Structure formats: C-alpha cells, structure tokens
Amino acid sequence: MRLSVDPRSGRVRLTLPPRASLRHALAWAEEQREWVARQRSKLPEVRPFVPGARVPWGDGEIEIVWPAGVARTPRLEGERLLCGGPREGLERRVERWLKREALALLSRETAEYAARAGVKVASVTIGDPRARWGSCASSGAIRYSWRLALAPAFVRRATVAHEVAHRVHMNHGPAFHALVAQLFGADPTPAREWLRRHGAQLHWIGRGAAEA
C-alpha cells in the first residue's frame, strides 16, 4: 500500500496492491494522518486573484488593481491589471482575462513555430489539465494548459516548440528531440527541468483558500 499527495492539487491518493483489503487499507491510511499533514504543509502557497495580488506573467508580474470608476472588463496598463465593477466575481473576471490573453499568446507562438517547421496546425485551444502542459493530436489540433502563460517565456516557448514538433514526429525519438531544439533555437532541457521543479506552483495561482 502507498500514500501520496499530489503537489498540484493537494489530493491524497491511496494505492492498493491487487486483492488487498480496502477496509485494512483505509484503517492504515487513517493512521498516517500526521504524515499526510506534514506533506500538505509543504504544498505551494495559495495565491488567489484578489486586489493587490501580483501574478506572474511570462518574465514579469502584473498587479491586480480594483479601482473605483473603472470598467469591469480587465484592462492592462503597464504592469497593472485594472479591473473595476463589483467585488463579487472579480476573481472570475481576472481569470477569464488571463485565459483569453494566454490563448492569444500561445496561438501566435504556435503559428510562428509552425511556419518555421513548414507544417499546418488545425487549431489551438487551452484548458487547465493537471498532468499535461500540452498535447498534439494526429489531426493537427494542439491544446495547452493556459497556465503556461504564467511561466517564464523560455519555458512557454520550449513547450510550444515541443508540441509543434509533433506535427512532424508523433513520437519522442531522437529526430523529434532534434527538431524541438532546432525550432526553439536552444536546448529545451532547462525548460523541462523548470516545469519539473516549479510547475506544481502554477496550479495554485488563482485558487482560493477554500480550495486548498
């Protein structure tokens, strides 16, 4: 039996071997409460979209500002994201703006790398998956986690190059990795390492305390 805590969501997973007793497993898991509490105390800090919060955006940060007399639709001015309207629903409005901007950014960079590779991409969409930063279907449809826009630019662009390269090689063989490096213009290994080390933190941005 094994217990684990997902660093992206904080959920506790209990894994049982075949034919193990569920009753005994649950009793054993109950005895591990202190261990679970210690692991959860190490999780990234919750960072909700509230007034005054600073949100990573590429290589910089933007501050959420909730001023009076400003339109409810968020508007970026320099490093300040101005979002008026009622306080209720502010978090949703900010998240919708971030997702819209992330889609536009990822679409532009996908088109850039697709032109460089001489391939066509059927569509670019975004989601909020827990396990994958991007995926490319054989149909040519590419889907990203919108949270890539919260990562440093080199991480985001290396991921885009990775997915576009799948339009040529639907595998992870040597030719594929060589094409990723060629499209990206550098070794993508540091970008993969960054996501391994810090990617879980991106999933806690925009979450409320009640979700922790």
Side-chain angles (χ1 to χ4, degrees), residues 31-52:
E31 296 172 357
Q32 312 306 314
R33 278 183 172 272
E34 290 187 7
W35 179 87
V36 170
R38 288 197 302 272
Q39 299 308 307
R40 298 197 74 184
S41 70
K42 301 174 185 176
L43 292 173
E45 179 184 358
V46 174
R47 299 176 64 179
F49 295 142
V50 295

Side-chain angles (χ1 to χ4, degrees), residues 15-153:
T15 305
L16 281 67
R19 296 182 296 279
S21 166
L22 177 60
R23 182 169 61 85
H24 291 161
L26 292 175
W28 172 76
E30 184 68 24
E31 296 172 357
Q32 312 306 314
R33 278 183 172 272
E34 290 187 7
W35 179 87
V36 170
R38 288 197 302 272
Q39 299 308 307
R40 298 197 74 184
S41 70
K42 301 174 185 176
L43 292 173
E45 179 184 358
V46 174
R47 299 176 64 179
F49 295 142
V50 295
R54 299 191 66 84
V55 181
W57 188 251
D59 292 332
E61 286 186 330
I62 54 179
E63 181 185 2
I64 298 173
V65 180
W66 181 50
V70 173
R72 61 185 294 150
T73 301
R75 182 178 78 253
L76 186 63
E77 289 190 358
E79 297 180 351
R80 302 167 75 231
L81 183 62
L82 306 180
C83 184
R87 176 63 182 86
E88 181 182 358
L90 175 68
E91 290 82 358
R92 290 192 299 274
R93 298 197 297 278
V94 170
E95 183 170 324
R96 282 198 299 267
W97 183 90
L98 291 170
K99 287 181 176 179
R100 186 170 62 249
E101 293 298 312
L103 177 58
L105 177 59
L106 290 163
S107 296
R108 288 195 302 270
E109 293 181 343
T110 299
E112 173 191 339
Y113 283 130
R116 195 175 297 179
V119 298
K120 292 184 178 180
V121 173
S123 64
V124 176
T125 57
I126 57 170
D128 195 10
R130 294 293 183 186
R132 306 181 72 177
W133 296 105
S135 62
C136 178
S138 57
S139 64
I142 294 180
R143 186 171 178 81
Y144 299 104
S145 166
W146 75 269
R147 295 177 184 277
L148 280 170
L150 307 176

Side-chain angles (χ1 to χ4, degrees), residues 163-187:
E163 299 308 329
V164 170
H166 276 312
R167 295 294 296 121
V168 180
H169 304 287
M170 289 298 288
N171 56 59
H172 289 98
F176 165 80
H177 289 295
L179 180 57
V180 174
Q182 178 185 339
L183 294 175
F184 182 49
D187 181 3

